[in-house]
Amino acid sequence: MEDTEPRNTEPTAEPAAESTAEPTAADGAQPPPGPRKKRLRRTRRITLAVLLVLLLPLLTAETALRVNYMGDPADGTYTRNRDAIWLGHAWVDGRKKDADLTALARSLKTTGIRDLYVHTGPMEHDGTLPESLYPKARWLIDAVHRELPGVRVQAFLGDVLATEGPDGMRLEQADTRAAVVDSARQVLDAGYDGVHLDLEPLHSDDRNYLSLLDDVRAVTRARGAQLSVAAHQIDPLPALHSVFGLFTQHPKWWSQEFFGQVARRVDQIAVMSYDTAQPLESTYGGYVAQQTSLALEVTPPTTHLLMGLPFYHESNFDHWGHAETVAAAVRGVRLGLSRTDADRELFGVAPYIDFAATDTNWEEYRDGWVR
């Protein structure tokens, strides 16, 4: 640092003002660091330590997922012909025609898909469902039953929950839950074989959601119909949803215990095992293997468990398209199934979603899972 005051260049008997410049050693040796350099070095050491504290657990977790993707799946860990697929709203609003249904039927005959989750909502925030949203439902249901005997058509009913913002459905309101139950009756009256609920973002340990499932299950059982749900992912580390909840409005995961509580109340539970933010195919596949094992551990054998497949391509922080491939997901599913319950009968995969699927998605599903 330079002096800020002028120096007197005339000889004087008074001692010269002390310089703030760092001294130099007469013998050429490095002088000791000044206060500013010490502060810079200390700041750098602290920054490095913080980065290591933050990155080391992440690197450890990613390495563990990569290791989890290693090995060979057990023989026989292929489709049990109990797969499902999410279908878009165009199938019930009049946009799809007979030729589309014929093509769909031809495609599904070479798969293990036996349940169609057809988007029939969204429900209103008060839980009601306008009948005007699905004018062609009867056409679709009759055509599927005719062209694909044994395949069930379930009404995919969803809505945004007011858990992370001011707008959305509020499950804490008894009238809203009762309206959702009435919407379930409504679609069963229309001829659907089941009700598929997808309410997001649904936070772990939501007792109102469990109460809703109990009420809807009573209706579907009385009709001999299916109740299925789309489920959030399970904590990859214990209580991770609680940790995230402290710092964000979006805890993302469910506890494994809550997942089991949901699974015991439904006929089918489909894990949305995509949008994981995993950067590599190997870590994504390892993550899916882990999710498969965690789900199998708490899903009773009487409940049909499905693992979601990403039949779409995006590239953002939540979903890296080069990493979240169908091939990686299928291999991860087979590894998790092999390690946890290779003989589980009520098990399958569920592609999301038909209108975004590519030929490569279908090929990787058939090559890896349908044998």
Side-chain angles (χ1 to χ4, degrees):
M1 179 182 295
E2 296 181 356
D3 293 333
T4 57
E5 295 185 10
R7 295 171 184 252
N8 184 356
T9 57
E10 296 295 326
T12 176
E14 295 181 2
E18 184 176 347
S19 171
T20 58
E22 294 182 4
T24 57
D27 58 1
Q30 284 290 339
R36 187 179 66 167
K37 286 188 177 180
K38 287 182 178 179
R39 285 196 299 272
L40 287 173
R41 289 181 182 177
R42 184 166 58 249
T43 300
R44 288 170 184 164
R45 286 196 294 267
I46 292 173
T47 301
L48 180 59
V50 170
L51 287 174
L52 287 174
V53 168
L54 294 175
L55 290 176
L56 189 58
L58 177 61
L59 292 174
T60 301
E62 292 298 288
T63 300
L65 292 178
R66 177 65 184 88
V67 171
N68 206 37
Y69 194 57
M70 295 178 178
D72 296 320
D75 292 339
T77 51
Y78 301 110
T79 185
R80 279 86 165 111
N81 292 316
R82 296 181 182 274
D83 303 333
I85 186 171
W86 281 280
L87 298 180
H89 199 84
W91 288 101
V92 294
D93 67 5
R95 283 176 285 170
K96 294 292 187 179
K97 307 300 180 185
D98 289 343
D100 300 306
L101 193 283
T102 299
L104 177 67
R106 183 168 55 248
S107 176
L108 294 186
K109 284 178 181 177
T110 59
T111 72
I113 293 172
R114 297 296 179 268
D115 281 281
L116 310 181
Y117 302 146
V118 185
H119 191 269
T120 306
M123 291 179 285
E124 300 293 326
H125 292 339
D126 63 2
T128 59
L129 178 69
E131 292 186 10
S132 59
L133 291 177
Y134 53 97
K136 298 286 287 185
R138 188 77 252 182
W139 163 81
L140 175 67
I141 296 165
D142 290 344
V144 169
H145 289 169
R146 181 180 65 251
E147 300 293 332
L148 295 166
V151 172
R152 293 177 294 207
V153 184
Q154 300 192 42
F156 168 8
L157 304 180
D159 193 25
V160 175
L161 297 178
T163 52
E164 299 175 8
D167 299 323
M169 182 182 289
R170 297 184 179 275
L171 293 182
E172 67 272 18
Q173 297 178 351
D175 289 348
T176 298
R177 297 197 303 274
V180 173
V181 176
D182 286 341
S183 293
R185 290 193 186 94
Q186 183 178 315
V187 294
L188 295 179
D189 289 343
Y192 281 97
D193 301 305
V195 177
H196 179 78
L197 293 178
D198 179 17
L199 303 176
E200 303 179 47
L202 180 63
H203 293 180
S204 186
D205 308 319
D206 189 325
R207 309 308 301 180
N208 294 309
Y209 180 64
L210 297 180
S211 176
L212 172 64
L213 294 181
D214 289 336
D215 293 342
V216 176
R217 186 77 179 277
V219 172
T220 55
R221 275 185 168 174
R223 302 288 191 94
Q226 294 286 297
L227 172 58
S228 59
V229 295
H232 287 30
Q233 297 156 28
I234 302 172
D235 282 331
L237 296 172
L240 189 59
H241 74 279
S242 297
V243 175
F244 260 60
L246 293 175
F247 300 101
T248 71
Q249 287 187 317
H250 182 51
K252 184 176 174 68
W253 298 278
W254 287 355
S255 70
Q256 191 181 35
E257 179 183 6
F258 183 68
F259 187 97
Q261 291 171 343
V262 173
R264 290 191 292 274
R265 287 171 164 81
V266 299
D267 298 298
Q268 299 178 339
I269 185 166
V271 185
M272 296 179 286
S273 41
Y274 35 76
D275 294 344
T276 65
Q278 288 302 317
L280 303 171
E281 266 193 301
S282 57
T283 58
Y284 171 62
Y287 184 88
V288 173
Q290 181 197 43
Q291 288 291 309
T292 302
S293 292
L294 290 171
L296 283 166
E297 288 170 359
V298 292
T299 301
T302 53
T303 298
H304 183 180
L305 173 65
L306 300 115
M307 303 302 297
L309 302 180
F311 267 41
Y312 63 98
H313 185 92
E314 292 179 357
S315 286
N316 52 52
F317 181 79
D318 289 328
H319 180 103
W320 298 108
H322 65 274
E324 293 198 17
T325 65
V326 174
V330 166
R331 176 173 164 76
V333 167
R334 293 187 62 211
L335 287 169
L337 182 63
S338 301
R339 294 164 182 162
T340 312
D341 191 355
D343 297 323
R344 178 72 68 112
E345 185 62 26
L346 293 179
F347 184 87
V349 298
Y352 179 90
I353 187 168
D354 71 308
F355 59 77
T358 66
D359 290 341
T360 299
N361 295 152
W362 283 107
E363 289 169 5
E364 291 179 350
Y365 159 69
R366 289 189 176 94
D367 290 346
W369 183 245
V370 182
R371 298 292 180 96

